[in-house]
Structures are given as structure tokens and as C-alpha cells.
Amino acid sequence: MTEDSSADLDFSGALQRLKEHDPNAAVAKAKEQLDCLDSVTLNIAVTGETGAGKSAFINAFRGLDDDDDNSAPTGITETTKVATMYTHPTKSNVQLWDLPGTGMPNFKADKFLKEVKFETYDLFIIISSERFKENDVFLAKEIQKKQKRFYFVRTKIDNDMRSVAKTRRNFDEQQVLCTIREDCHRNVKELGNPKVFLISSYDLGKYDFHDLVDSLESDLSEYKRFALVQSLPVCSLAMLEKKKKVLEKFIWLAALGSSLGAVIPFPFLSLAIDKTVLVTYLVSCHNALGLNEQSLIKLSERMNKPLSQLKSAIKSPLALAVVDKMAIRPRTAMTKPVKRLDDLLDARFLATSFMNVTEAFRSTYNILHEALNEMINDMRQVLHAAGLDE
Ligand SMILES: Nc1nc2c(ncn2[C@@H]2O[C@H](COP(=O)(O)OP(=O)(O)OP(=O)(O)O)[C@@H](O)[C@H]2O)c(=O)[nH]1
Ligand SMILES: [Mg+2]
């Protein structure tokens, strides 16, 4: 199967196939697709002039602060000299590449692309903290020639806002954004009026980050899109909604992939459902939604809210059970008793009875759907507690 064979990716199609065809084959196919989702890699190249904010953007994209372990070094003395790969902390198949700056006077776009091995990347993000320069345009043209996509990002918008707000009495944010946008477009219009995304790497929830993600998504194959959306930090309610849509789309795959019932006849429920597949799916949703410990710590630091306040917004037994399952520390007598994830899943399955494999599939789908909704509701409450629910 190729990663682009997305036509099959829907629930009713899967159900139909299950009814009409060999269930064993349908389950095997789902498992194959799940493996594919796990193994697809997304390589994003980030380039632009020295000091433009490439490394800071990469850190923000990975949900890290500039001073975290494993973050890309930032600052005026930390110039990126060779292409360096940074993997996503929870989705290691998403790789961001910090490429050397493009600002040298003798810059040759074709030589540059050859040196950084352009074929490695799915797409290029060209960053500038001012107007885009000649070298940025040369590079974009060359990327286009090589049949790859590029996206212009104008960063450090928060700085622009601050300095204009200081000097103008009738400060109008939209007006300032409009001026910056027009200014950027003037310098890149020979490329056919490409979009320019205005961004602050220190506040991804504001300005055009969401639009950038929409554009990246629409240009990627279904599998790479899934990897991208899973990896993004939950910086706003809008981002949470985006994740919900994408995660929901793949529930049926986990439901079908777990249907051991197709292979082993009932009546033993534990034999009918492969809980490992379900647990893997729920843990990846939990990470993607930002409910894991590391993401909550980052959110509490960024929004200056106590971690305990954010954690107390998480109420669903399922989300708590995933946290408990993922905890590195051993359980102690002091640890609040939490239902185990496997037990919770068993309890939900016991409430249903399966007549055949399509029934099992449908029930598993509903159980996972409900579980995902519970975690999404929890994350909505976390964002509310963090003050990010506007
Ligand atoms: N306020 C603000 N500062 C930013 C932003 N992005 C980057 N910076 C700052 O700009 C400086 C340069 O950022 P880097 O990410 O190191 O720039 P770079 O493009 O990686 O630079 P080189 O590696 O030298 O090519 C750092 O001090 C960052 O903190 C942003 O969106 N807002
Ligand atoms: Mg750098």
C-alpha cells in the first residue's frame, strides 16, 4: 500500500468491506494502514537569513522553549552552520531541519539545495523577520523548479506589534498586520503572489500560524497530514478542533485493526479485541491533545498558571488512566487510586454484546469515539484554566 492511497480512509467504506469481503483480510489491511501511519516520515526544512528566527520557530513547532534540553540553540551567536535534524518529542516521525542561513552575498540557490540534500524534505519554510530578500526569492524559485513546495513565514510579529503600539496612539493591530503583509507581498510578487504567513514563535496561537497549518495540510498526503496535525502544540481552541477532526477520522482504523474477533471466534471477549491496538491509539491521542505531563508543564510555564490548576481540569477517568499508564514513577501509597486503562476498556466492552465481527467493529468504534471526546473535553477545560479559550 502506498501512503497516498487515501480513498479508502473512511468508516462506512471499512464497514462495507467488512460485510462484503473476507473480515480477516479487512483486519489485516487495517493493521497494515496503522503501521503505515506510524512509519510515515514528514521532513520539514526551515531556512532563511541568519537571525531570522529559524531555530526559535523549530522549537515552537515542537512545543519546546528555547532553553529546553534538545531544543535548537537560538540567539545571535548560535548561527546554524550545517543542516541539523530535530525530531518531535512525542512523534519521532516528524522531523524538522534547521538549515544554514541564506544571507551570504554569494548565495547560489541551486548549490545550496544540493548541499542540504533537498530531496530529503517534503516542504520548505522560508523565514524572514523583515522583508523577504533577493536570496529568499531565488531560493523559492529553485525549490519550485525541483517540484517541491515552499511557504514564506514572516516571523517576530510580536516585536512589530509591541514597537508600533508604543509609538502610535490609535494602534490598530489588524491595520499593522495588513501593512506588514502588503510589504512582504511586494517583495515576492514575481513568484505569483504566494501567501506570506505572519507569525510569532513565542505565541503560535496568535496571527497566521493556524493558516499556515491549513496550507501545509492541504498540500500533504493523508498520512503525512495525520503526522503533522498530531505533532502540533495545542496553542488554541482552534488547534484543538483541528486535532479532533483529524483524530476522529482514524478511529475506525484502530477499531478495525483491533478486531481479533475476525480471526478468533467468540465467546471470549478478551480474545475478540486486541487491546494493545486500542491502548496505542488512545495514548497517541492523549499525546496529540497535549494532555501528557510534558505538554502540561510547558503550557503552565507559558501561560504562567500553576501546573496543579491545569491538571485539576482533567476529570475523565480515561485520561487519568492514560497518565497513570504512562507514568514513569512507581505507584506509592500516596498516589491517588486511578482505574487502570485496561480495566476501564474491559468495563466498557462488557456493557456491549457482539453478534458478529461487524458488531464488534461498530462497538469498538463507538467506545473509541466516546473516549476521544472525553479527552477532548478535558483538554478544552485545560485550555480554559490556562486562559486560552477565546
Ligand atoms: N520576539 C520574538 N523573538 C524571536 C522570534 N523568533 C526568534 N526570535 C529571537 O530572534 C533571535 C534569533 O533567533 P534564532 O531562532 O536563533 O534565529 P536563526 O534564524 O536560527 O539564526 P541563525 O541560526 O543564526 O541563522 C533570538 O534571540 C530569538 O529569541 C519571535 O517570533 N519573536
Ligand atoms: Mg539557528
Side-chain angles (χ1 to χ4, degrees), residues 93-109:
N93 51 344
V94 176
Q95 298 164 348
L96 286 115
W97 292 80
D98 200 345
L99 299 190
T102 53
M104 306 76 83
N106 55 348
F107 176 78
K108 293 269 183 301

Side-chain angles (χ1 to χ4, degrees), residues 251-313:
I251 293 176
W252 70 267
L253 207 49
L256 187 53
S258 70
S259 299
L260 279 184
V263 188
I264 303 164
F266 296 5
F268 299 111
L269 188 64
S270 55
L271 288 181
I273 303 292
D274 181 353
K275 268 189 296 179
T276 332
V277 176
L278 303 186
V279 169
T280 306
Y281 178 77
L282 290 174
V283 169
S284 69
C285 289
H286 190 264
N287 281 332
L289 295 172
L291 285 162
N292 58 338
E293 179 88 6
Q294 198 196 356
S295 303
L296 292 174
I297 292 173
K298 290 283 116 212
L299 188 63
S300 96
E301 288 169 357
R302 207 163 301 139
M303 301 310 292
N304 206 12
K305 301 278 180 193
L307 181 61
S308 56
Q309 192 179 323
L310 303 189
K311 280 188 171 176
S312 64

Side-chain angles (χ1 to χ4, degrees), residues 26-79:
V27 173
K29 176 115 180 143
K31 281 192 196 291
E32 197 188 306
Q33 287 184 318
L34 282 170
D35 285 347
C36 214
L37 276 180
D38 247 4
S39 60
V40 69
T41 53
L42 175 63
N43 284 288
I44 301 178
V46 181
T47 187
E49 284 200 346
T50 295
K54 301 180 287 294
S55 306
F57 177 80
I58 287 173
N59 293 337
F61 208 96
R62 296 162 71 221
L64 298 179
D65 291 328
D66 291 344
D67 54 1
D68 282 339
D69 292 345
N70 305 321
S71 67
T74 58
I76 37 172
T77 56
E78 299 284 3
T79 304

